[in-house]
Amino acid sequence: MKIIIVLGLSFFLFINCQSIKPTVDYDTNTNFTNIKTYDYYTNNSIQLNQIDSLNFMRNLDNSLITKGLQRTSDNPDIYIAVMVSIAEGNDVNTVNLGVGGGSGWFGLGTNIGIPIKKRIINYTFQIDMDNAQTNQLIWTSKFSNTVDYNKYSNSKTTLFQENINALVKNYPPKITKPKKKNYYN
């Protein structure tokens, strides 16, 4: 019995400690080592209040600076489009309780389900980087994150830092050259 409880708790902790994994795509023909400056598009779609929006953009600027990029409005190498959407919802789980008994060929039981409802927030973050000269998309990163409504209500800065760090973690991409094929491949 103790083994089942320990395994159940271990599985629960494993599921809850999953890392954030964004979807990243990039143009393999782009030389990212030449990109040093950036600026934002003026029509970014950020569905946050003004304070959260400024906080998010400040955190994004800090993360891009650590990646070696400088923000400039004078002839940047890339333009960045930022999209943040938010949707509130309810997560409904059910706990089932049952009791039963019997003897021989006869048994009787009952079961009751107790709904447990909590408020959640679904965030979707996306960053697109476009070449400033050609307006072609060269790098994109996107992911969705569902958080408990009360978990980050006081520390949205932490939420934004974690999510932005996950978004730009794979920038610049490490482009690997294909292996040379020999006669037998």
Side-chain angles (χ1 to χ4, degrees), residues 146-184:
T146 301
V147 296
D148 186 13
Y149 184 80
N150 296 323
K151 184 175 182 183
Y152 287 104
S153 61
N154 295 331
S155 61
K156 287 186 182 175
T157 302
T158 306
L159 172 70
F160 293 149
Q161 285 174 347
E162 290 172 357
N163 293 327
I164 290 170
N165 288 339
L167 275 173
V168 298
K169 179 181 178 183
N170 296 324
Y171 181 85
K174 294 173 180 61
I175 300 174
T176 57
K177 294 180 181 178
K179 293 181 181 179
K180 292 182 180 178
K181 294 185 177 183
N182 61 23
Y183 179 75
Y184 297 106

Side-chain angles (χ1 to χ4, degrees), residues 1-133:
M1 182 67 176
K2 288 181 183 179
I3 294 173
I4 293 173
I5 292 173
V6 170
L7 288 175
L9 287 174
S10 299
F11 179 74
F12 180 74
L13 290 174
F14 177 73
I15 295 298
N16 285 332
C17 296
Q18 290 179 348
S19 62
I20 301 171
K21 296 192 181 200
T23 303
V24 177
D25 195 13
Y26 58 90
D27 181 10
T28 56
N29 296 323
T30 300
N31 185 359
F32 288 93
T33 57
N34 295 336
I35 298 172
K36 303 292 181 201
T37 59
Y38 72 95
D39 199 8
Y40 295 108
Y41 283 110
T42 56
N43 58 348
N44 288 318
S45 173
I46 301 176
Q47 297 177 356
L48 300 171
N49 64 37
Q50 189 174 8
I51 294 171
D52 289 343
S53 178
L54 289 172
N55 191 4
F56 181 85
M57 296 304 284
R58 210 173 290 127
N59 283 320
L60 181 57
D61 279 334
N62 291 336
S63 292
L64 292 173
I65 287 170
T66 62
K67 295 291 185 176
L69 298 175
Q70 282 297 112
R71 184 173 180 187
T72 182
S73 57
D74 298 330
N75 197 18
D77 296 326
I78 58 173
Y79 283 108
I80 298 177
V82 179
M83 289 155 271
V84 178
S85 63
I86 184 172
E88 292 187 24
N90 292 317
D91 187 18
V92 180
N93 292 320
T94 305
V95 175
N96 291 310
L97 303 172
V99 67
S103 64
W105 293 97
F106 178 73
L108 185 64
T110 185
N111 186 15
I112 184 170
I114 302 171
I116 299 173
K117 186 163 105 173
K118 67 178 181 178
R119 286 178 67 186
I120 57 171
I121 300 176
N122 296 315
Y123 288 99
T124 301
F125 301 94
Q126 182 171 349
I127 297 174
D128 292 339
M129 295 183 181
D130 296 341
N131 185 322
Q133 283 73 36

